[in-house]
DNA sequence: TCTGGGGTCCTAGGACCC
DNA sequence: TCTGGGGTCCTAGGACCC
């Protein structure tokens, strides 16, 4: 065999970058309203007409409703405001912060811009949502720090925004590393840095260890990743199950062989809405019906625009006590039109006890099939004719 | 001061088939 | 007449993430 590329194994260590935009939605808004720079600003809530100050901005103190904080500037975070927090609570912490409604179309457009700019330098990218990506730098020529700096510069040139980057041998560590020097950070770690840089961090810093697992681990006096790494793997498996327990052990040691998912088909598409006030299934019957029909319309538009059919349709209800139930309905024939979604939703709704007020209604399309695939496979009449096996009749 | 909207993945039981 | 194991699909709920 001629010399050249090694077949397997001997390949060089991976260089995976995690790129995370800094306070993304808020930073996009600061491009639009530069006069707000340096002030506590919070993105969240619905667009509405309410009291504004002399400059036309709404203050958090004047907010009343059910919204949550989507993003807060670092100045707002200094008051304890965090994303996911109820806006009423945020208003108690920072009443004078500026509140802006989210403008998702703009955030999506800017998102495509920074991703394209990165792709020009390094084309192997995994999309992780609107404001973060993984980038594989392994095959990109150049020194690691230099490459990462060029990515940051490309993001800034194309959008005017800053981001934080972590580069390590795998996705798990890179995700942790990108958090270490936010904002506008660049952190490069090797496996040898795990004990000093990773182990002191709280377990919850790991992507996949949420509030529930954090609380359970704390019950065993496991608070840091280092303590988790020292825990007996058999104990973790007994306590957290085969899959999750074994993964906890691997994660704490910084081991992660997952490849980048450079393209993915959606598994489900959904629409849901939380009401301004809780609605009663009988007293507010008409309003609930209107809301559900509207959700069906919007879901149908999403499906059609993206070219998918649903082989299952599910509804989601959240009651006034925040308990949530779902009901799913598998279909013989995949659908994407509002009337079929509505019929399926009605079937599922019959299986729900409607004895208390509702705060949320949702509809979900699952078991998706590409519309073109389905038509090709089933030769749907009117769209694609079945090729005839017999010659045409003579006239 | 109660907690948005859009997703993914995992678990687990039952139906049904081989 | 009884016993069994495996595989897949459907359904419901929950943890977690951005």
């Amino acid at each position: 065999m001629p010399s050249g590329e090694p077949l397997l194994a001997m390949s060089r260590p991976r260089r995976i970058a995690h790129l995370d935009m800094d306070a993304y939605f808020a930073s996009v808004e600061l491009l639009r309203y530069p006069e707000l720079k340096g002030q506590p600003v919070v993105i969240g809530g619905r667009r509405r007409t309410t009291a504004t100050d002399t400059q036309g901005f709404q203050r958090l103190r004047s907010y009343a409703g059910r919204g949550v904080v989507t993003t807060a500037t670092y100045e707002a975070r200094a008051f304890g405001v965090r994303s996911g927090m109820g806006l009423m609570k945020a208003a108690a912490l920072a009443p004078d912060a500026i509140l802006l409604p989210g403008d998702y179309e703009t955030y999506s457009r800017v998102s495509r811009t920074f991703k394209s700019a990165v792709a020009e330098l390094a084309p192997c990218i995994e999309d992780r949502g609107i404001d973060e990506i993984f980038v594989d730098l392994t095959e990109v020529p150049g020194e690691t720090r230099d490459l990462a700096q060029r990515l940051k510069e490309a993001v800034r040139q194309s959008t005017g925004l800053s981001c934080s980057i972590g580069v390590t041998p795998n996705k798990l560590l890179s995700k942790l590393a990108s958090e270490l020097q936010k904002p506008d950070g660049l952190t490069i770690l090797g496996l040898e840095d795990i004990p000093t840089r990773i182990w002191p961090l709280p377990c919850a810093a790991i992507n996949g260890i949420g509030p529930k697992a954090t609380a359970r681990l704390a019950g065993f006096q496991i608070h840091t990743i280092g303590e988790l790494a020292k825990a007996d793997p058999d104990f973790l498996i007994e306590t957290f199950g085969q899959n999750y327990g074994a993964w906890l052990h691997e994660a704490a040691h910084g081991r992660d062989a997952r490849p980048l998912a450079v393209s993915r088909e959606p598994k489900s598409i959904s629409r849901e809405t939380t009401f301004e006030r809780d609605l009663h299934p009988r007293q507010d019957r008409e309003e609930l019906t209107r809301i559900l029909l509207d959700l069906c319309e919007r879901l149908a538009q999403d499906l059609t625009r993206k070219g998918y059919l649903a082989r299952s349709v599910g509804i989601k209800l959240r009651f006034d006590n925040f308990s949530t139930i779902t009901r799913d309905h598998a279909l013989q024939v995949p659908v994407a039109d509002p009337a079929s979604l509505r019929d399926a939703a009605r079937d599922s709704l019959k299986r729900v006890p409607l004895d208390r007020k509702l705060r949320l209604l949702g509809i979900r399309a699952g078991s998706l099939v590409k519309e073109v695939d389905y038509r090709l496979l089933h030769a749907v009449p009117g769209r694609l004719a079945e090729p005839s096996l017999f010659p045409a009749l003579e006239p």
Side-chain angles (χ1 to χ4, degrees):
Chain A
M1 166 166 302
S3 66
E5 285 297 305
L7 276 179
L8 271 176
M10 298 306 282
S11 55
R12 51 184 158 267
R14 296 199 296 165
R15 290 189 296 177
I16 308 300
H18 179 255
L19 186 158
D20 199 359
M21 301 297 284
D22 299 323
Y24 182 56
F25 295 176
S27 301
V28 174
E29 294 298 343
L30 290 185
L31 291 178
R32 192 190 330 232
Y33 305 114
E35 66 270 33
L36 296 182
K37 216 167 283 180
Q39 292 200 55
V41 176
V42 166
I43 312 299
R46 292 208 173 96
R47 189 165 287 105
R48 57 172 71 216
T49 48
T50 36
T52 57
D53 67 12
T54 48
Q55 300 163 291
F57 293 114
Q58 186 186 355
R59 301 279 165 171
L60 209 41
R61 68 162 80 253
S62 72
Y63 180 84
R66 299 190 140 161
V68 298
V69 175
T70 308
T71 318
T73 58
Y74 290 91
E75 289 81 1
R77 295 180 199 191
F79 290 95
V81 175
R82 296 287 178 272
S83 54
M85 179 182 283
L87 282 173
M88 299 300 278
K89 180 175 178 179
L93 293 169
D96 293 315
I98 305 283
L99 174 64
L100 296 172
D103 171 9
Y104 292 84
E105 274 185 37
T106 300
Y107 308 151
S108 290
R109 181 166 45 74
V110 176
S111 175
R112 288 190 293 273
T113 301
F114 91 75
K115 287 170 188 173
S116 304
V118 170
E120 301 231 337
L121 297 172
C124 184
I125 292 175
E126 174 179 333
D127 220 304
R128 292 292 299 187
I130 199 159
D131 70 337
E132 54 180 86
I133 49 176
F134 286 109
V135 190
D136 194 339
L137 301 177
T138 312
E139 304 297 331
V140 183
E143 194 261 327
T144 303
R145 182 166 297 274
D146 191 53
L147 282 177
Q149 285 290 5
R150 282 163 60 196
L151 295 186
K152 283 166 69 80
E153 195 49 39
V155 170
R156 192 182 298 277
Q157 286 286 337
S158 61
T159 64
L161 299 173
S162 73
C163 63
S164 295
I165 295 184
V167 190
T168 82
N170 65 52
K171 295 204 289 187
L172 181 108
L173 290 172
S174 297
K175 172 84 179 159
L176 284 164
S178 68
E179 289 290 323
L180 287 179
Q181 297 184 68
K182 265 186 165 297
D184 204 13
L186 171 50
T187 306
I188 299 167
L189 299 182
L191 298 180
E192 66 280 7
D193 298 313
I194 291 173
T196 56
R197 306 295 299 277
I198 302 299
W199 283 355
L201 301 173
C203 294
I206 292 178
N207 208 247
I209 302 183
K212 301 284 178 180
T214 300
R216 290 189 66 196
L217 287 166
F220 299 110
Q221 299 307 313
I222 297 173
H223 302 98
T224 66
I225 300 176
E227 287 164 352
L228 183 59
K230 282 198 223 89
D232 177 12
D234 291 333
F235 162 76
L236 292 174
I237 288 171
E238 281 164 29
T239 310
F240 292 93
Q242 177 62 54
N243 280 353
Y244 196 63
W247 174 80
L248 282 174
H249 180 73
E250 292 297 296
H253 285 274
R255 295 193 278 261
D256 174 23
R258 291 172 301 166
L260 267 65
V262 291
S263 70
R264 234 183 321 192
E265 291 286 322
K267 301 273 193 293
S268 67
I269 300 174
S270 67
R271 284 281 181 167
E272 65 183 53
T273 187
T274 297
F275 319 136
E276 300 276 337
R277 60 175 184 94
D278 295 341
L279 297 175
H280 194 281
R282 277 181 293 278
Q283 274 124 268
D284 301 305
R285 199 164 165 259
E286 284 84 15
E287 188 166 3
L288 284 166
T289 302
R290 237 181 301 122
I291 291 167
L292 184 55
L293 290 178
D294 181 59
L295 290 172
C296 289
E297 289 279 354
R298 287 196 277 164
L299 181 59
Q301 284 171 21
D302 295 342
L303 284 166
T304 305
R305 178 164 38 84
K306 295 176 179 171
Y308 287 96
L309 301 169
R311 276 182 37 245
S312 81
V313 176
I315 56 166
K316 170 172 165 183
L317 289 82
R318 178 166 291 152
F319 298 98
D320 53 3
N321 64 356
F322 217 71
S323 69
T324 307
I325 65 164
T326 60
R327 290 293 179 272
D328 245 62
H329 187 64
L331 302 171
Q332 300 294 319
V333 179
V335 301
D337 62 294
S340 301
L341 295 174
R342 177 242 296 153
D343 290 345
R346 185 160 37 212
D347 281 353
S348 290
L349 216 39
K350 288 180 189 151
R351 289 179 281 139
V352 180
L354 293 172
D355 47 8
R356 54 186 317 148
K357 287 186 166 186
L358 296 165
R359 63 175 288 137
L360 171 149
L361 205 49
I363 183 159
R364 189 181 60 88
S367 303
L368 301 179
V369 285
K370 274 250 160 217
E371 189 184 2
V372 283
D373 294 348
Y374 181 77
R375 294 202 184 287
L376 282 171
L377 208 59
H378 292 83
V380 174
R383 301 284 182 141
L384 202 73
E386 185 85 53
S388 178
L389 296 175
F390 296 91
L393 284 173
E394 296 295 328

